[in-house]
Amino acid sequence: MLINAPEGWETTLSDEQIGVKGGVKELTDIQKAVLLEMRENPIVTTGELAQKLDVRFRTLQRYISQLREMGVLIRVGGRKEGKWVVKVGMTQND
């Protein structure tokens, strides 16, 4: 499934954001889709998201782990009552 980022979304991360030497890392299409879905629905479960994006649950967990390590995605609150917060992605202030 290919989802284009909405107009105004910045989909590259600087060296400082992810610790990559010598350049900027481009998010993969699936990483963009995960961030887009989580921004639109912060209370989405990983099971729902895996089904919506048509990926295996464990694969989605790996993508989420990568995004959390990059510092662009955090989980606020508990497993049942929490929500996802996308920390980057917009070029304009929210």
Side-chain angles (χ1 to χ4, degrees):
M1 172 183 231
L2 178 63
I3 297 178
N4 292 323
E7 189 171 325
W9 272 60
E10 180 62 47
T11 58
T12 58
L13 303 174
S14 69
D15 293 350
E16 295 79 29
Q17 289 172 307
I18 57 172
V20 174
K21 292 184 179 180
V24 175
K25 179 168 179 157
E26 179 76 20
L27 293 174
T28 65
D29 288 340
I30 190 70
Q31 289 171 330
K32 292 175 193 176
V34 169
L35 292 176
L36 177 62
E37 292 295 331
M38 288 182 169
R39 175 141 322 212
E40 289 179 358
N41 182 9
I43 61 171
V44 68
T45 67
T46 51
E48 292 169 343
L49 190 55
Q51 189 172 31
K52 186 170 187 175
L53 297 176
D54 195 29
V55 296
R56 292 183 187 269
F57 179 75
R58 181 64 189 113
T59 301
L60 178 65
Q61 287 181 320
R62 186 172 57 252
Y63 290 129
I64 290 172
S65 178
Q66 292 167 353
L67 292 167
R68 292 174 90 172
E69 287 175 14
M70 289 178 197
V72 298
L73 181 67
I74 60 171
R75 178 78 177 175
V76 176
R79 185 173 59 91
K80 292 191 177 213
E81 301 293 325
K83 65 179 184 175
W84 296 104
V85 177
V86 178
K87 293 175 61 178
V88 298
M90 301 300 288
T91 56
Q92 302 170 348
N93 292 336
D94 290 335

